């Protein structure tokens, strides 16, 4: 679990595991604007929204907007 304060000053609890390959997107503590999976670079913002999935371009079965809802 990740506890974050977004740019809107809202505190949120997010899943620390990537939805794609179940890799941790963060370890330890610190300050971050986004969380990046080390496996395929799926990127999440401080609201838990998927903002990038670079290796999925061209996939006919991938719809980022379906994965972006919290």
């Amino acid at each position: 679990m990740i506890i974050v304060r977004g740019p809107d000053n809202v505190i949120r609890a997010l899943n620390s595991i990537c939805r794609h390959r179940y890799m941790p997107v963060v370890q330890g503590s610190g300050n971050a604007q986004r969380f990046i999976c080390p496996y395929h670079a799926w990127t999440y913002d401080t609201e838990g929204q998927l903002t990038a999935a670079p290796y999925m371009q061209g996939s006919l079965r991938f719809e980022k907007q379906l994965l972006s809802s919290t």
Side-chain angles (χ1 to χ4, degrees):
M1 183 159 275
I2 307 168
I3 305 299
V4 301
R5 182 188 313 258
D8 55 2
N9 280 327
V10 173
I11 296 174
R12 295 178 178 85
L14 307 175
N15 192 340
S16 65
I17 303 299
C18 179
R19 296 175 192 153
H20 180 233
R21 293 291 181 176
Y22 306 104
M23 297 290 291
V25 295
V26 67
Q27 293 179 350
S29 61
N31 186 350
Q33 300 297 315
R34 62 186 181 271
F35 305 99
I36 303 172
C37 177
Y39 197 83
H40 282 129
W42 280 32
T43 305
Y44 301 89
D45 65 15
T46 57
E47 292 183 5
Q49 299 295 310
L50 178 65
T51 60
Y55 300 107
M56 299 305 288
Q57 297 165 341
S59 173
L60 299 175
R61 302 182 83 189
F62 179 75
E63 295 184 43
K64 187 177 100 177
Q65 63 274 15
L66 295 178
L67 292 174
S68 294
S69 61
T70 53

